[in-house]
């Protein structure tokens, strides 16, 4: 039996709940809001979330990296930048999981340094609140994790594997060992 963290149904419920709140919040926008996918982990979440957004929006992505295997390196590298001008727009940063908070702080600082957005809104599917190293802005959370466990599935990976699972779970030690062999091939 897998140690499930979020089932398909729970994920869908979270997308509906967060989407409904965002619809209310993004009702009267002068410029089109931009939803930013933090690649690659948030790819599944953003695609399901935006299906519930009723107004016109723009979608863009940013690629950063901090994790090496199942450990955060603490050092964030920008791999691919945003390409839409975010000045005067509401910006919704869509993230898979907030762990230490370092990535989200980097993203918010980066956006504020380059642009003058109307507002920045943070939506994360998972919040590993117990692992936080620095306080960080979060507006919408799918689910809060009370234990500091490494999770995979629905975009979240271990060495690029398991992004394709439709649910999120905690891989066993044996599964992690199997993945290590797989990626070494
Ligand atoms: P932070 O900078 O420590 O908050 O880490 C955030 C990033 O690390 C997330 O965007 C994820 O991509 C990745 N990450 C953190 N925890 C996990 C996990 O349990 N499984 C997979 N990726 C994770
Ligand atoms: Mg991520």
């Amino acid at each position: 039996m897998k140690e499930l963290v979020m089932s398909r149904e729970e994920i869908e419920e979270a997308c509906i709940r967060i989407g409904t709140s965002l619809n209310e919040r993004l009702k009267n926008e002068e410029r089109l809001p931009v939803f930013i996918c933090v690649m690659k982990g948030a790819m599944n979440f953003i695609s399901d979330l935006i299906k519930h957004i009723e107004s016109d929006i723009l979608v863009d992505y940013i690629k950063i990296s901090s994790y090496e295997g199942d450990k955060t390196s603490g050092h964030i590298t920008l791999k691919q930048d945003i390409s839409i001008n975010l000045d005067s727009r509401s910006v919704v940063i869509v993230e898979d999981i907030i762990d230490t908070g370092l990535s989200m702080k980097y993203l918010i600082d980066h956006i504020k340094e380059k642009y003058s957005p109307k507002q920045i809104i943070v939506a994360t599917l998972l919040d590993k609140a117990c692992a936080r190293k620095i306080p960080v802005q979060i507006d919408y959370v799918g689910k809060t994790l009370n234990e500091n466990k490494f999770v995979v599935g629905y975009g979240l990976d271990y060495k690029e594997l398991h992004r394709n699972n439709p649910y999120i779970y905690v891989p066993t030690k044996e599964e992690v060992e199997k993945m290590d062999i797989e990626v070494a091939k």
Side-chain angles (χ1 to χ4, degrees):
M1 268 289 278
K2 286 196 188 302
E3 186 183 335
L4 257 196
V5 169
M6 267 187 118
S7 65
R8 297 170 87 131
E9 292 73 24
E10 271 184 283
I11 294 169
E12 179 58 9
E13 277 166 26
C15 289
I16 294 170
R17 172 172 51 81
I18 298 170
T20 306
S21 303
L22 283 168
N23 280 328
E24 203 47 46
R25 194 142 168 193
L26 300 173
K27 252 188 196 157
N28 302 305
E29 296 292 300
E30 225 164 277
R31 293 198 84 191
L32 290 169
V34 185
F35 280 59
I36 295 178
C37 176
V38 186
M39 292 293 262
K40 303 176 203 167
M43 63 185 191
N44 288 335
F45 179 39
I46 196 168
S47 82
D48 285 337
L49 177 66
I50 61 174
K51 287 171 193 154
H52 301 287
I53 303 300
E54 287 156 2
S55 54
D56 287 333
I57 56 162
L58 300 176
V59 178
D60 203 351
Y61 64 91
I62 186 165
K63 195 161 178 247
I64 55 169
S65 88
S66 70
Y67 253 67
E68 286 160 1
D70 62 355
K71 303 267 175 320
T72 177
S73 70
H75 180 77
I76 291 132
T77 333
L78 179 65
K79 305 266 183 180
Q80 175 84 48
D81 208 350
I82 297 157
S83 58
I84 297 173
N85 187 315
L86 305 180
D87 288 342
S88 314
R89 298 187 194 275
S90 286
V91 174
V92 184
I93 304 178
V94 182
E95 181 58 298
D96 53 357
I97 187 165
I98 298 180
D99 184 6
T100 61
L102 294 169
S103 301
M104 190 49 68
K105 183 183 185 311
Y106 175 92
L107 289 167
I108 293 172
D109 289 351
H110 176 73
I111 290 171
K112 283 185 177 164
E113 216 169 87
K114 280 187 83 170
Y115 306 101
S116 302
K118 177 184 164 194
Q119 60 175 336
I120 296 177
I121 300 167
V122 176
T124 186
L125 185 58
L126 291 170
D127 178 12
K128 235 191 245 182
C130 53
R132 200 76 84 250
K133 285 194 179 144
I134 45 164
V136 81
Q137 176 196 339
I138 308 182
D139 300 277
Y140 301 103
V141 177
K143 188 171 184 170
T144 302
L145 302 181
N146 297 316
E147 278 181 277
N148 192 358
K149 288 186 176 170
F150 189 78
V151 301
V152 295
Y154 195 72
L156 292 133
D157 72 307
Y158 174 73
K159 298 189 178 176
E160 296 298 325
L161 293 176
H162 285 283
R163 293 197 197 275
N164 52 314
N165 296 128
Y167 45 77
I168 301 171
Y169 74 102
V170 182
T172 61
K173 210 169 150 261
E174 290 71 34
E175 276 178 293
V176 171
E177 281 165 13
K178 214 172 128 210
M179 286 189 263
D180 284 334
I181 295 168
E182 206 60 51
V183 293
K185 276 183 191 166

